[in-house]
Amino acid sequence: MSKFITFEGCEGAGKSAQIRYLAEYLDQKGIKYITTREPGGTPEAEKIRSLILDPHAEMSGECEVMLYAAARADHLKNKIIPALESGINVICDRYIDSSYAYQAYARGLGFETVQKANFLAEARMPDVTVFLDLPPEQAFVRKGGADKDDRMEMEGLAFHRRVYEGYLALCDRFPQRIVRIECSGEREKTRSLVLAALTDRGII
Ligand code: TYD
């Protein structure tokens, strides 16, 4: 059975590197997969992505949550579900937990509102979610500061602290699905922890 694996964490936690490592591991094993990302992953969802991340946009939190959900709906229907149904594993950089951490917790829209907007994604939750645990204070140092072309990254440290606390709350709420990986050490060490966690759970 193909698996749906998502990666979550604060900006700069090292998701891209860990996704690359996992992809290399699956290549060696000859296991089929695709990698994809949110917001985005399909041509239409990528257009919505530019709208959401535009640093000049001044949108309400409600509009923001609906746009992320709209992009997700397209991504799910046109890319994630077709891959899973044809026996291909899906590795996704961010998914619904980003909406919970950023919109529900950090923006303060609340869990219920975000859940309602994401009813389609709620029907296809990941088999496992890897949360790369690195507090924003350390993550921004690792990243070398915020990206000025990205509206979400331009939010201050207090916002990203709330995102991080949101993720910790999600780990408590979904202990079966979310694996928390402490990743302040070397990338190679995190790589071993991620692969071990996925192997232990029978995911890969
Ligand atoms: P991106 O450049 O992909 O960030 P990163 O490289 O850190 O993954 O930008 C996506 C931004 O959108 C990021 O700040 C997280 C935010 N986001 C939400 O606020 N809600 C969501 O549902 C998703 C998927 C992302």
mmCIF file of all heavy atoms in Angstrom, residues 8-12 15-16 37-39 49 52-53 64 68-69 72 93-100 102-103 143 147 150 152-153 159-160 167, ligand 1:
data_model
loop_
_atom_site.group_PDB
_atom_site.id
_atom_site.type_symbol
_atom_site.label_atom_id
_atom_site.label_comp_id
_atom_site.label_asym_id
_atom_site.label_seq_id
_atom_site.Cartn_x
_atom_site.Cartn_y
_atom_site.Cartn_z
ATOM 1 N N GLU A 8 6.767 18.615 8.230
ATOM 2 C CA GLU A 8 6.337 19.893 8.784
ATOM 3 C C GLU A 8 7.446 20.488 9.647
ATOM 4 O O GLU A 8 8.336 19.761 10.106
ATOM 5 C CB GLU A 8 5.086 19.696 9.663
ATOM 6 C CG GLU A 8 3.850 19.230 8.906
ATOM 7 C CD GLU A 8 3.150 20.343 8.126
ATOM 8 O OE1 GLU A 8 3.535 21.530 8.264
ATOM 9 O OE2 GLU A 8 2.228 20.025 7.357
ATOM 10 N N GLY A 9 7.343 21.786 9.883
ATOM 11 C CA GLY A 9 8.304 22.441 10.772
ATOM 12 C C GLY A 9 8.378 23.918 10.475
ATOM 13 O O GLY A 9 7.795 24.404 9.497
ATOM 14 N N CYS A 10 9.086 24.641 11.332
ATOM 15 C CA CYS A 10 9.262 26.077 11.123
ATOM 16 C C CYS A 10 10.190 26.304 9.932
ATOM 17 O O CYS A 10 10.963 25.412 9.562
ATOM 18 C CB CYS A 10 9.902 26.701 12.364
ATOM 19 S SG CYS A 10 8.781 26.762 13.770
ATOM 20 N N GLU A 11 10.125 27.503 9.383
ATOM 21 C CA GLU A 11 11.040 27.874 8.294
ATOM 22 C C GLU A 11 12.476 27.664 8.752
ATOM 23 O O GLU A 11 12.835 28.089 9.847
ATOM 24 C CB GLU A 11 10.881 29.368 7.960
ATOM 25 C CG GLU A 11 9.984 29.655 6.805
ATOM 26 C CD GLU A 11 8.529 29.942 7.197
ATOM 27 O OE1 GLU A 11 8.088 29.607 8.308
ATOM 28 O OE2 GLU A 11 7.856 30.512 6.356
ATOM 29 N N GLY A 12 13.274 26.985 7.943
ATOM 30 C CA GLY A 12 14.685 26.802 8.303
ATOM 31 C C GLY A 12 14.954 25.540 9.110
ATOM 32 O O GLY A 12 16.090 25.285 9.493
ATOM 33 N N LYS A 15 13.546 20.997 6.192
ATOM 34 C CA LYS A 15 12.638 20.040 5.538
ATOM 35 C C LYS A 15 13.163 19.590 4.172
ATOM 36 O O LYS A 15 13.136 18.404 3.881
ATOM 37 C CB LYS A 15 11.241 20.647 5.357
ATOM 38 C CG LYS A 15 10.452 20.743 6.636
ATOM 39 C CD LYS A 15 9.057 21.269 6.379
ATOM 40 C CE LYS A 15 8.999 22.747 6.183
ATOM 41 N NZ LYS A 15 9.109 23.295 4.878
ATOM 42 N N SER A 16 13.613 20.557 3.371
ATOM 43 C CA SER A 16 14.041 20.178 2.009
ATOM 44 C C SER A 16 15.175 19.166 2.030
ATOM 45 O O SER A 16 15.148 18.193 1.269
ATOM 46 C CB SER A 16 14.504 21.382 1.184
ATOM 47 O OG SER A 16 13.978 22.551 1.681
ATOM 48 N N ARG A 37 4.962 19.755 -2.927
ATOM 49 C CA ARG A 37 5.008 20.738 -1.844
ATOM 50 C C ARG A 37 3.706 21.521 -1.748
ATOM 51 O O ARG A 37 2.913 21.566 -2.688
ATOM 52 C CB ARG A 37 6.122 21.738 -2.101
ATOM 53 C CG ARG A 37 5.822 22.640 -3.297
ATOM 54 C CD ARG A 37 6.664 23.883 -3.262
ATOM 55 N NE ARG A 37 6.400 24.766 -4.405
ATOM 56 C CZ ARG A 37 7.117 25.824 -4.683
ATOM 57 N NH1 ARG A 37 8.130 26.146 -3.932
ATOM 58 N NH2 ARG A 37 6.815 26.587 -5.715
ATOM 59 N N GLU A 38 3.513 22.152 -0.601
ATOM 60 C CA GLU A 38 2.373 23.053 -0.420
ATOM 61 C C GLU A 38 2.852 24.371 0.165
ATOM 62 O O GLU A 38 3.814 24.371 0.927
ATOM 63 C CB GLU A 38 1.351 22.415 0.531
ATOM 64 C CG GLU A 38 0.627 21.271 -0.106
ATOM 65 C CD GLU A 38 -0.776 21.074 0.446
ATOM 66 O OE1 GLU A 38 -1.111 21.649 1.496
ATOM 67 O OE2 GLU A 38 -1.529 20.342 -0.178
ATOM 68 N N PRO A 39 2.182 25.496 -0.119
ATOM 69 C CA PRO A 39 1.136 25.566 -1.125
ATOM 70 C C PRO A 39 1.742 25.364 -2.519
ATOM 71 O O PRO A 39 2.823 25.852 -2.785
ATOM 72 C CB PRO A 39 0.572 26.976 -0.955
ATOM 73 C CG PRO A 39 1.682 27.771 -0.346
ATOM 74 C CD PRO A 39 2.464 26.816 0.485
ATOM 75 N N ARG A 49 -0.425 29.893 -4.820
ATOM 76 C CA ARG A 49 0.742 30.116 -3.959
ATOM 77 C C ARG A 49 1.298 31.541 -4.131
ATOM 78 O O ARG A 49 1.574 32.223 -3.153
ATOM 79 C CB ARG A 49 1.834 29.093 -4.296
ATOM 80 C CG ARG A 49 3.135 29.309 -3.548
ATOM 81 C CD ARG A 49 4.254 28.401 -4.060
ATOM 82 N NE ARG A 49 5.502 28.717 -3.413
ATOM 83 C CZ ARG A 49 5.941 28.110 -2.316
ATOM 84 N NH1 ARG A 49 5.255 27.143 -1.770
ATOM 85 N NH2 ARG A 49 7.065 28.478 -1.754
ATOM 86 N N ILE A 52 -0.896 34.001 -2.376
ATOM 87 C CA ILE A 52 -0.816 33.978 -0.907
ATOM 88 C C ILE A 52 0.495 34.574 -0.399
ATOM 89 O O ILE A 52 0.505 35.306 0.580
ATOM 90 C CB ILE A 52 -0.880 32.535 -0.326
ATOM 91 C CG1 ILE A 52 -2.075 31.743 -0.838
ATOM 92 C CG2 ILE A 52 -0.897 32.576 1.185
ATOM 93 C CD1 ILE A 52 -2.066 30.277 -0.384
ATOM 94 N N LEU A 53 1.605 34.233 -1.074
ATOM 95 C CA LEU A 53 2.906 34.633 -0.519
ATOM 96 C C LEU A 53 3.355 36.027 -0.960
ATOM 97 O O LEU A 53 4.351 36.548 -0.457
ATOM 98 C CB LEU A 53 3.977 33.585 -0.857
ATOM 99 C CG LEU A 53 3.718 32.172 -0.297
ATOM 100 C CD1 LEU A 53 4.857 31.234 -0.667
ATOM 101 C CD2 LEU A 53 3.521 32.175 1.218
ATOM 102 N N GLU A 64 -6.827 34.009 3.787
ATOM 103 C CA GLU A 64 -5.591 33.217 3.734
ATOM 104 C C GLU A 64 -5.868 31.725 3.930
ATOM 105 O O GLU A 64 -5.419 30.880 3.157
ATOM 106 C CB GLU A 64 -4.660 33.750 4.834
ATOM 107 C CG GLU A 64 -3.276 33.165 4.832
ATOM 108 C CD GLU A 64 -2.453 33.787 5.962
ATOM 109 O OE1 GLU A 64 -1.938 34.905 5.790
ATOM 110 O OE2 GLU A 64 -2.321 33.141 7.024
ATOM 111 N N TYR A 68 -5.218 28.688 1.135
ATOM 112 C CA TYR A 68 -4.395 27.496 1.364
ATOM 113 C C TYR A 68 -5.234 26.237 1.148
ATOM 114 O O TYR A 68 -4.775 25.264 0.558
ATOM 115 C CB TYR A 68 -3.816 27.479 2.788
ATOM 116 C CG TYR A 68 -2.562 28.309 2.968
ATOM 117 C CD1 TYR A 68 -2.553 29.438 3.790
ATOM 118 C CD2 TYR A 68 -1.371 27.960 2.337
ATOM 119 C CE1 TYR A 68 -1.405 30.195 3.969
ATOM 120 C CE2 TYR A 68 -0.210 28.716 2.512
ATOM 121 C CZ TYR A 68 -0.234 29.828 3.334
ATOM 122 O OH TYR A 68 0.911 30.568 3.501
ATOM 123 N N ALA A 69 -6.489 26.290 1.640
ATOM 124 C CA ALA A 69 -7.353 25.111 1.497
ATOM 125 C C ALA A 69 -7.717 24.867 0.033
ATOM 126 O O ALA A 69 -7.797 23.716 -0.414
ATOM 127 C CB ALA A 69 -8.611 25.287 2.349
ATOM 128 N N ARG A 72 -4.825 23.358 -1.675
ATOM 129 C CA ARG A 72 -4.724 21.962 -1.199
ATOM 130 C C ARG A 72 -5.750 21.067 -1.886
ATOM 131 O O ARG A 72 -5.452 19.922 -2.230
ATOM 132 C CB ARG A 72 -4.919 21.962 0.322
ATOM 133 C CG ARG A 72 -4.766 20.610 0.992
ATOM 134 C CD ARG A 72 -4.550 20.773 2.500
ATOM 135 N NE ARG A 72 -3.359 21.554 2.741
ATOM 136 C CZ ARG A 72 -3.295 22.616 3.556
ATOM 137 N NH1 ARG A 72 -4.355 23.009 4.249
ATOM 138 N NH2 ARG A 72 -2.179 23.282 3.685
ATOM 139 N N ASP A 93 6.034 18.292 1.166
ATOM 140 C CA ASP A 93 6.631 19.330 1.990
ATOM 141 C C ASP A 93 5.490 20.255 2.439
ATOM 142 O O ASP A 93 5.008 21.052 1.640
ATOM 143 C CB ASP A 93 7.652 20.081 1.108
ATOM 144 C CG ASP A 93 8.431 21.129 1.876
ATOM 145 O OD1 ASP A 93 8.016 21.510 2.978
ATOM 146 O OD2 ASP A 93 9.467 21.573 1.345
ATOM 147 N N ARG A 94 5.041 20.092 3.674
ATOM 148 C CA ARG A 94 3.904 20.799 4.290
ATOM 149 C C ARG A 94 2.570 20.251 3.770
ATOM 150 O O ARG A 94 2.436 19.881 2.607
ATOM 151 C CB ARG A 94 3.917 22.312 4.051
ATOM 152 C CG ARG A 94 5.137 23.021 4.637
ATOM 153 C CD ARG A 94 4.917 24.531 4.625
ATOM 154 N NE ARG A 94 6.058 25.234 5.167
ATOM 155 C CZ ARG A 94 6.318 25.370 6.462
ATOM 156 N NH1 ARG A 94 5.485 24.855 7.350
ATOM 157 N NH2 ARG A 94 7.372 26.018 6.875
ATOM 158 N N TYR A 95 1.591 20.268 4.664
ATOM 159 C CA TYR A 95 0.218 19.871 4.308
ATOM 160 C C TYR A 95 -0.693 20.522 5.350
ATOM 161 O O TYR A 95 -0.369 21.612 5.864
ATOM 162 C CB TYR A 95 0.127 18.326 4.296
ATOM 163 C CG TYR A 95 -1.155 17.744 3.739
ATOM 164 C CD1 TYR A 95 -1.561 17.987 2.428
ATOM 165 C CD2 TYR A 95 -1.969 16.933 4.534
ATOM 166 C CE1 TYR A 95 -2.751 17.438 1.930
ATOM 167 C CE2 TYR A 95 -3.152 16.378 4.038
ATOM 168 C CZ TYR A 95 -3.534 16.643 2.738
ATOM 169 O OH TYR A 95 -4.701 16.105 2.252
ATOM 170 N N ILE A 96 -1.781 19.857 5.709
ATOM 171 C CA ILE A 96 -2.792 20.495 6.564
ATOM 172 C C ILE A 96 -2.257 20.974 7.922
ATOM 173 O O ILE A 96 -2.731 21.976 8.461
ATOM 174 C CB ILE A 96 -3.997 19.539 6.749
ATOM 175 C CG1 ILE A 96 -5.173 20.263 7.380
ATOM 176 C CG2 ILE A 96 -3.610 18.305 7.552
ATOM 177 C CD1 ILE A 96 -6.468 19.443 7.386
ATOM 178 N N ASP A 97 -1.234 20.306 8.460
ATOM 179 C CA ASP A 97 -0.725 20.745 9.773
ATOM 180 C C ASP A 97 -0.132 22.151 9.704
ATOM 181 O O ASP A 97 -0.121 22.855 10.707
ATOM 182 C CB ASP A 97 0.315 19.751 10.309
ATOM 183 C CG ASP A 97 -0.318 18.403 10.598
ATOM 184 O OD1 ASP A 97 -1.191 18.338 11.478
ATOM 185 O OD2 ASP A 97 0.021 17.429 9.898
ATOM 186 N N SER A 98 0.356 22.543 8.508
ATOM 187 C CA SER A 98 0.842 23.923 8.377
ATOM 188 C C SER A 98 -0.325 24.886 8.575
ATOM 189 O O SER A 98 -0.175 25.939 9.192
ATOM 190 C CB SER A 98 1.470 24.168 7.004
ATOM 191 O OG SER A 98 2.736 23.569 6.918
ATOM 192 N N SER A 99 -1.505 24.529 8.049
ATOM 193 C CA SER A 99 -2.663 25.402 8.245
ATOM 194 C C SER A 99 -3.053 25.450 9.722
ATOM 195 O O SER A 99 -3.473 26.494 10.224
ATOM 196 C CB SER A 99 -3.850 24.933 7.408
ATOM 197 O OG SER A 99 -3.658 25.280 6.052
ATOM 198 N N TYR A 100 -2.925 24.313 10.400
ATOM 199 C CA TYR A 100 -3.235 24.328 11.841
ATOM 200 C C TYR A 100 -2.216 25.174 12.605
ATOM 201 O O TYR A 100 -2.579 26.003 13.430
ATOM 202 C CB TYR A 100 -3.282 22.892 12.392
ATOM 203 C CG TYR A 100 -4.529 22.141 11.972
ATOM 204 C CD1 TYR A 100 -4.474 20.840 11.492
ATOM 205 C CD2 TYR A 100 -5.779 22.757 12.066
ATOM 206 C CE1 TYR A 100 -5.622 20.171 11.090
ATOM 207 C CE2 TYR A 100 -6.929 22.097 11.661
ATOM 208 C CZ TYR A 100 -6.846 20.804 11.187
ATOM 209 O OH TYR A 100 -7.989 20.156 10.792
ATOM 210 N N TYR A 102 -0.008 27.543 11.423
ATOM 211 C CA TYR A 102 0.089 28.956 11.012
ATOM 212 C C TYR A 102 -1.247 29.696 11.137
ATOM 213 O O TYR A 102 -1.291 30.800 11.645
ATOM 214 C CB TYR A 102 0.602 29.069 9.565
ATOM 215 C CG TYR A 102 2.086 28.799 9.406
ATOM 216 C CD1 TYR A 102 2.587 27.502 9.465
ATOM 217 C CD2 TYR A 102 2.988 29.835 9.202
ATOM 218 C CE1 TYR A 102 3.946 27.242 9.310
ATOM 219 C CE2 TYR A 102 4.356 29.584 9.045
ATOM 220 C CZ TYR A 102 4.819 28.290 9.098
ATOM 221 O OH TYR A 102 6.168 28.039 8.962
ATOM 222 N N GLN A 103 -2.313 29.100 10.580
ATOM 223 C CA GLN A 103 -3.583 29.837 10.573
ATOM 224 C C GLN A 103 -4.380 29.636 11.868
ATOM 225 O O GLN A 103 -4.885 30.592 12.441
ATOM 226 C CB GLN A 103 -4.430 29.455 9.347
ATOM 227 C CG GLN A 103 -3.994 30.134 8.050
ATOM 228 C CD GLN A 103 -2.661 29.652 7.510
ATOM 229 O OE1 GLN A 103 -2.421 28.464 7.377
ATOM 230 N NE2 GLN A 103 -1.761 30.574 7.202
ATOM 231 N N LYS A 143 18.857 29.522 8.693
ATOM 232 C CA LYS A 143 18.394 29.953 7.373
ATOM 233 C C LYS A 143 19.086 31.219 6.880
ATOM 234 O O LYS A 143 19.032 31.559 5.711
ATOM 235 C CB LYS A 143 16.901 30.257 7.524
ATOM 236 C CG LYS A 143 16.096 29.888 6.360
ATOM 237 C CD LYS A 143 14.661 30.237 6.616
ATOM 238 C CE LYS A 143 13.918 30.265 5.314
ATOM 239 N NZ LYS A 143 14.366 31.214 4.340
ATOM 240 N N ASP A 147 13.154 35.475 4.237
ATOM 241 C CA ASP A 147 13.094 35.749 2.804
ATOM 242 C C ASP A 147 12.123 36.907 2.578
ATOM 243 O O ASP A 147 10.934 36.813 2.881
ATOM 244 C CB ASP A 147 12.597 34.456 2.112
ATOM 245 C CG ASP A 147 12.429 34.627 0.622
ATOM 246 O OD1 ASP A 147 12.603 35.751 0.124
ATOM 247 O OD2 ASP A 147 12.117 33.609 -0.039
ATOM 248 N N ASP A 150 8.631 36.668 0.679
ATOM 249 C CA ASP A 150 7.649 35.720 1.192
ATOM 250 C C ASP A 150 6.901 36.359 2.370
ATOM 251 O O ASP A 150 7.481 36.639 3.414
ATOM 252 C CB ASP A 150 8.412 34.452 1.619
ATOM 253 C CG ASP A 150 7.514 33.351 2.128
ATOM 254 O OD1 ASP A 150 6.499 33.663 2.779
ATOM 255 O OD2 ASP A 150 7.838 32.181 1.877
ATOM 256 N N MET A 152 4.746 35.276 4.482
ATOM 257 C CA MET A 152 4.680 34.551 5.749
ATOM 258 C C MET A 152 6.006 34.649 6.514
ATOM 259 O O MET A 152 6.032 34.805 7.718
ATOM 260 C CB MET A 152 4.321 33.079 5.532
ATOM 261 C CG MET A 152 3.002 32.860 4.839
ATOM 262 S SD MET A 152 1.622 33.611 5.704
ATOM 263 C CE MET A 152 1.389 32.446 7.031
ATOM 264 N N GLU A 153 7.093 34.576 5.761
ATOM 265 C CA GLU A 153 8.402 34.645 6.438
ATOM 266 C C GLU A 153 8.661 36.014 7.039
ATOM 267 O O GLU A 153 9.422 36.162 7.986
ATOM 268 C CB GLU A 153 9.532 34.295 5.456
ATOM 269 C CG GLU A 153 9.631 32.822 5.226
ATOM 270 C CD GLU A 153 10.987 32.378 4.702
ATOM 271 O OE1 GLU A 153 11.997 33.049 4.957
ATOM 272 O OE2 GLU A 153 11.007 31.351 4.028
ATOM 273 N N PHE A 159 5.367 35.755 15.899
ATOM 274 C CA PHE A 159 4.450 34.949 15.085
ATOM 275 C C PHE A 159 5.017 33.528 14.914
ATOM 276 O O PHE A 159 4.319 32.535 15.126
ATOM 277 C CB PHE A 159 4.257 35.614 13.709
ATOM 278 C CG PHE A 159 3.396 34.831 12.754
ATOM 279 C CD1 PHE A 159 2.009 34.918 12.816
ATOM 280 C CD2 PHE A 159 3.960 34.009 11.778
ATOM 281 C CE1 PHE A 159 1.202 34.194 11.931
ATOM 282 C CE2 PHE A 159 3.175 33.284 10.895
ATOM 283 C CZ PHE A 159 1.783 33.379 10.977
ATOM 284 N N HIS A 160 6.285 33.458 14.566
ATOM 285 C CA HIS A 160 6.893 32.137 14.327
ATOM 286 C C HIS A 160 7.022 31.330 15.612
ATOM 287 O O HIS A 160 7.003 30.102 15.585
ATOM 288 C CB HIS A 160 8.226 32.295 13.583
ATOM 289 C CG HIS A 160 8.013 32.738 12.173
ATOM 290 N ND1 HIS A 160 7.576 31.877 11.190
ATOM 291 C CD2 HIS A 160 8.076 33.960 11.603
ATOM 292 C CE1 HIS A 160 7.413 32.559 10.064
ATOM 293 N NE2 HIS A 160 7.706 33.819 10.289
ATOM 294 N N TYR A 167 2.698 23.793 16.581
ATOM 295 C CA TYR A 167 3.181 22.455 16.197
ATOM 296 C C TYR A 167 3.289 21.549 17.428
ATOM 297 O O TYR A 167 2.937 20.369 17.365
ATOM 298 C CB TYR A 167 4.542 22.539 15.500
ATOM 299 C CG TYR A 167 4.453 22.802 14.013
ATOM 300 C CD1 TYR A 167 5.141 23.857 13.422
ATOM 301 C CD2 TYR A 167 3.702 21.970 13.174
ATOM 302 C CE1 TYR A 167 5.071 24.090 12.054
ATOM 303 C CE2 TYR A 167 3.635 22.190 11.803
ATOM 304 C CZ TYR A 167 4.318 23.250 11.250
ATOM 305 O OH TYR A 167 4.249 23.472 9.889
HETATM 306 P P1 TYD B 1 7.622 28.062 1.623
HETATM 307 O O1 TYD B 1 8.591 28.950 0.920
HETATM 308 O O2 TYD B 1 7.217 26.814 0.937
HETATM 309 O O3 TYD B 1 8.163 27.783 3.072
HETATM 310 P P2 TYD B 1 9.131 26.663 3.580
HETATM 311 O O4 TYD B 1 10.285 26.638 2.624
HETATM 312 O O5 TYD B 1 9.476 27.061 4.952
HETATM 313 O O6 TYD B 1 8.309 25.402 3.565
HETATM 314 O O7 TYD B 1 6.370 28.955 1.973
HETATM 315 C C1 TYD B 1 5.231 28.464 2.477
HETATM 316 C C2 TYD B 1 4.785 29.386 3.578
HETATM 317 O O8 TYD B 1 3.387 29.225 3.761
HETATM 318 C C3 TYD B 1 5.438 29.057 4.899
HETATM 319 O O9 TYD B 1 5.669 30.260 5.593
HETATM 320 C C4 TYD B 1 4.364 28.301 5.638
HETATM 321 C C5 TYD B 1 3.100 28.897 5.102
HETATM 322 N N1 TYD B 1 1.934 27.988 5.101
HETATM 323 C C6 TYD B 1 0.808 28.322 5.858
HETATM 324 O O10 TYD B 1 0.797 29.361 6.535
HETATM 325 N N2 TYD B 1 -0.283 27.508 5.812
HETATM 326 C C7 TYD B 1 -0.320 26.377 5.059
HETATM 327 O O11 TYD B 1 -1.342 25.647 5.050
HETATM 328 C C8 TYD B 1 0.847 26.041 4.279
HETATM 329 C C9 TYD B 1 0.859 24.805 3.423
HETATM 330 C C10 TYD B 1 1.954 26.874 4.333
#
